[in-house]
Amino acid sequence: MASVRAVLIDIDGVLTVSWEPLPGAVAALREVREAGFGVALATNTTSRTRASIAEVLKAAGFPVRAEDILTAPAVTASYLADHCPGARCTLLNSGDIGEDLAGVTLVDGEAEDVDVVVLGGAGREFGYPALNHAFGHLQRGARLVAMHRNLYWRTEDGLQLDAGAFLAGLEQAARTEAEVTGKPSPAFFEAALARLGVGADEALMVGDDIESDVLAAQRAGLTGVLVKTGKYLPETHRSASGTPDHVIESFADLPALLGASAEQ
């Protein structure tokens, strides 16, 4: 921890719930910035573009800019450009993220000639017809690229199903394995570190998802910090595949953790 120069922060469940700031989160982020730490908001959120996320967070008082935000859709666009140049892609996602998928050739899900099925975040769009069209494309040889494997997320109405629940079914039915671009993909953390200009041993990741945020970051060489907000559940913590480096009650406690480490 003494070598930490930058902080990666999940948004949903860590800074906000249903885009409303969690207690103490605004002040804590400001304190982290004023202490000189690099900041990147590393999120699997697929319902908004980077620019719109920045606007919502700024309106809530968070000191952030669009360039501070790294989203699964933005990383997915880079991945598709590198691994599937020119591919015809069909997107199944809840929310308008076209701005962050610049350069990706998107076609309607009912089109016959589809090279890649791209799965974003779940919502009303994930009905039987859309999922069945995706299944058909996969049976005909299309690749499956998923922005994340999140099973659920927390809203003001409680936990809600996310795309990972549908992804597992598509993989089994089509006998294929998705290429995952967002967290917990190592490529996602590599992109965040490159943006911050630090090594893995100089960064920590703060998240409410013990597997996709915290333990995935630790496998990539970062320090992992689990917060007990958002989707955090004691039973998920107990049954996790590993142990977080640090556990704090909420993001409001992060400045104290960083400060104590600096003093040591």
Side-chain angles (χ1 to χ4, degrees), residues 78-97:
S78 296
Y79 181 89
L80 292 171
D82 292 341
H83 295 82
C84 317
R88 288 167 54 85
C89 306
T90 183
L91 172 66
L92 183 51
N93 179 70
S94 183
D96 182 7
I97 54 173

Side-chain angles (χ1 to χ4, degrees), residues 50-248:
R50 295 168 61 221
S52 65
I53 290 172
E55 287 302 315
V56 170
L57 294 179
K58 282 192 292 186
F62 288 102
V64 300
R65 304 159 298 177
E67 52 265 38
D68 296 326
I69 300 171
L70 184 66
T71 66
V75 174
T76 299
S78 296
Y79 181 89
L80 292 171
D82 292 341
H83 295 82
C84 317
R88 288 167 54 85
C89 306
T90 183
L91 172 66
L92 183 51
N93 179 70
S94 183
D96 182 7
I97 54 173
E99 181 181 320
D100 283 349
L101 291 175
V104 177
T105 302
L106 295 176
V107 298
D108 188 270
E110 297 183 24
E112 293 185 3
D113 186 13
V114 171
D115 303 309
V116 182
V117 173
V118 181
L119 232 63
R124 296 183 182 277
E125 295 81 357
F126 278 59
Y128 179 81
L131 287 166
N132 198 44
H133 281 305
F135 176 52
H137 296 314
L138 297 175
Q139 288 186 91
R140 291 188 288 274
R143 295 167 69 167
L144 177 58
V145 172
M147 295 187 189
H148 59 73
R149 286 190 177 278
N150 294 359
L151 294 172
Y152 51 82
W153 81 99
R154 183 173 293 281
T155 72
E156 57 190 2
D157 298 319
L159 296 179
Q160 305 288 317
L161 274 181
D162 208 344
F166 302 96
L167 176 61
L170 282 175
E171 286 180 314
Q172 287 210 12
R175 298 182 181 180
T176 188
E177 184 173 348
E179 303 162 48
V180 181
T181 55
K183 296 175 294 182
S185 165
F188 188 93
F189 295 104
E190 290 168 8
L193 293 172
R195 177 164 297 183
L196 289 165
V198 299
D201 61 341
E202 298 175 304
L204 63 79
M205 173 73 207
V206 186
D208 64 327
D209 187 317
I210 189 170
E211 296 288 349
S212 293
D213 291 338
V214 181
L215 299 182
Q218 290 177 194
R219 287 193 294 272
L222 290 76
T223 298
V225 179
L226 177 67
V227 293
K228 294 183 176 182
T229 54
K231 67 170 65 173
Y232 174 86
L233 294 171
E235 55 267 34
T236 305
H237 189 175
R238 288 192 296 268
S239 63
S241 62
T243 303
D245 292 319
H246 301 275
V247 181
I248 56 179

Side-chain angles (χ1 to χ4, degrees), residues 3-7 28-39 196 198 202 258:
S3 65
V4 170
R5 295 172 47 215
V7 181
L29 183 57
R30 186 172 292 115
E31 192 172 342
V32 169
R33 278 201 178 282
E34 290 174 352
F37 292 96
V39 170
L196 289 165
V198 299
E202 298 175 304
L258 292 170

